[in-house]
Amino acid sequence: MPELPEVETIVRQLNDKVSGKKISNVEVYDSMVVDERLKKISAVKIKNVFRRAKSIIFELDDEKFLLTHLRMTGHFHYLGCKRINHNYKKFMVGKFNFSDGSFLTHNSIRKFGSIRLLDREQLDAELNKYGPEPLDDNFTLKEFRDLLYQKSRSNIKTMLMDPKVIAGIGNIYAQEALYYSGIFPFRKAGSLSVSESSLLYKNLREILHRAIKEQGCTVDNYSNLEGSGGFQNFLAVYGKEKCLKGHDLTKIKLGGRGTSYCGRCQK
DNA sequence: TGATATGTTATCTT
DNA sequence: CAAGATAACATATC
């Protein structure tokens, strides 16, 4: 499902397709997901689309923002003027019509996501709830170690997946980073050695960068605007039976989430 | 049929 | 009290 690299991919594609377009009106099909007030939008231009954690933010030219979260099963579909046989209506909860005749739909199978209309102050308040961006230049090894120390008593995997601690990392990338770093998911954050924390920091960032390059990974029903990403072909443990060295993986639950690890490679 | 899937948060527990 | 663990959310798929 969409984690940081997938959301980043979607944001880049959205920027490419809808930045600068003028929204003529918005159709709301499920007000649990899409803010009813969007119905009142007319003739507003999208200035820019950006990401923070796993949220996608549309900056409008009337000083307002659309804060959207795909959660687990959200999708965007953009259809230009020449559209062919697209079943965009399936699970559609909202539709943005642009002045040039193209449109963007938001589809949500389980309806966990949301699109909210906020002013700058409200947006900042929401975004400040998240921990640092792992790919930000300001996110140094020292800062990562400080977080490990602060959360020293929680499982390392749970900590990596907590958006209030670090933004954007979900079940897939947490498992991958731990495998590549040879760290057992149940380890306490505070128990990592200096070399382990350096390795984890480096691997985490490398994996996220590589996944963005591959336009994210497609497992289950995630897709970006263009279709599928390619990073699923490079996964080491998520959804796998054997690790890269051919050892059998063990699958357990940790914090209510399926977790695969290699008992021989991860200590 | 029921277990499982993911992100986040509200709520329970230690 | 605070930090950590877990249940809940809705629904498709196996």
Side-chain angles (χ1 to χ4, degrees), chain A residues 150-262:
Chain A
Q150 279 169 36
K151 291 281 160 188
S152 55
R153 287 154 59 180
S154 73
N155 300 115
I156 182 64
K157 178 172 181 253
T158 310
M159 187 210 113
L160 291 176
M161 288 173 60
D162 185 343
K164 291 196 276 299
V165 179
I166 309 177
I169 301 166
N171 202 24
I172 296 174
Y173 294 100
Q175 288 176 64
E176 294 295 310
L178 288 172
Y179 171 76
Y180 278 103
S181 307
I183 298 169
F184 191 60
F186 281 97
R187 287 277 296 281
K188 299 296 168 197
S191 77
L192 300 204
S193 68
V194 170
S195 62
E196 283 174 328
S197 58
S198 308
L199 193 58
L200 181 56
Y201 169 82
K202 179 174 150 283
N203 283 332
L204 188 58
R205 293 178 27 125
E206 264 183 27
I207 291 167
L208 293 173
H209 274 303
R210 255 193 294 148
I212 289 173
K213 230 179 217 170
E214 297 292 334
Q215 308 201 36
C217 64
T218 298
V219 290
D220 240 353
N221 58 36
Y222 159 81
S223 68
N224 56 49
L225 292 195
E226 310 284 0
S228 305
F231 195 69
Q232 65 277 7
N233 301 321
F234 300 93
L235 293 175
V237 281
Y238 181 86
K240 303 281 180 187
E241 301 282 320
K242 290 182 186 297
C243 87
L244 295 181
K245 292 187 174 166
H247 307 144
D248 286 332
L249 293 171
T250 308
K251 187 161 183 188
I252 43 91
K253 277 210 181 256
L254 199 176
R257 295 288 170 250
T259 303
S260 294
Y261 66 89
C262 175

Side-chain angles (χ1 to χ4, degrees), chain A residues 2 36 44 60 63 73 80 111 168 191 239-240 245:
Chain A
E36 290 258 20
V44 178
L60 306 178
E63 307 290 306
T73 58
K111 302 178 183 182
S191 77
K240 303 281 180 187
K245 292 187 174 166

